[in-house]
Amino acid sequence: MMLYSDKMDPVGHAVRIVLAEKDINVEIQYIDAGDPPVELRELNPYTDTDTLTLADRDLVLYDIQVIMEYLDERFPHPPLMPVDPVARATCRQLCFRVRRDIYVPLAQLQGGNEIALANARKTIRDNLTAIAGAFDQKPYFMSDEYSLVDCCLAPVLWRLPYLGIKLPAAAKPLQKYAERLFARPGFRKSLSDAERELQP
């Protein structure tokens, strides 16, 4: 099994967290998103860098949700998705919301003028602050159990200082939640060398 991943990309980081949490033996090839290798361009018809290949390329996956759910089904311990269909659908919906409400403006921080950058930072800060109260009720994202939603959110929270995003005092429960995520052995194992340097 091989994962092609940009060493700074939060999407790839989320996949690496799943791999680390499940202690899956995988070869990670860090690539430059601006100059992907020829073999990756042949494997993945889209511009995404995060691609998982298995069994001599008999299976090639390149959507974050598909990759993470495949890994959870193929390597079921520890489970990162609920068993109950309603709870599974809720988990998928929350992952979708994280990608839409946080990852989309996060991508806008890659370039643009100062006004666009400030707006993207504000959107991320506001969206995170809006969900902060949920972490007063449950230890993980609307759940008592660690799940794929937490794997999606952890890379963003880790990058906040680097991105120049400071959360308000009202987001204190979210900050404590982030500390719980960062303390997990799987999270520490998932970090690339470049990501380790984002925080002291």
Side-chain angles (χ1 to χ4, degrees), residues 94-135:
L94 289 172
C95 284
F96 172 80
R97 289 191 64 184
V98 169
R99 294 195 315 273
R100 182 146 187 179
D101 295 347
I102 299 172
Y103 275 71
V104 169
L106 188 66
Q108 295 167 355
L109 291 175
Q110 303 304 316
N113 60 43
E114 283 304 315
I115 294 175
L117 295 175
N119 287 338
R121 287 188 186 97
K122 182 180 185 307
T123 298
I124 294 169
R125 183 178 61 249
D126 290 350
N127 287 342
L128 289 173
T129 303
I131 63 172
F135 300 100

Side-chain angles (χ1 to χ4, degrees), residues 1 15-16 18-28 52 70-72 74-77 189:
M1 184 182 299
V15 174
R16 285 183 271 121
V18 174
L19 291 164
E21 286 286 341
K22 291 177 173 288
D23 199 25
I24 299 171
N25 186 21
V26 60
E27 180 181 347
I28 298 176
L52 185 72
Y70 169 81
L71 293 171
D72 193 52
R74 175 68 181 81
F75 303 93
H77 301 290
K189 182 180 176 184

Side-chain angles (χ1 to χ4, degrees), residues 148-160:
L148 291 184
V149 188
D150 305 297
C151 297
C152 285
L153 198 48
V156 177
L157 298 175
W158 181 255
R159 286 160 171 76
L160 292 182

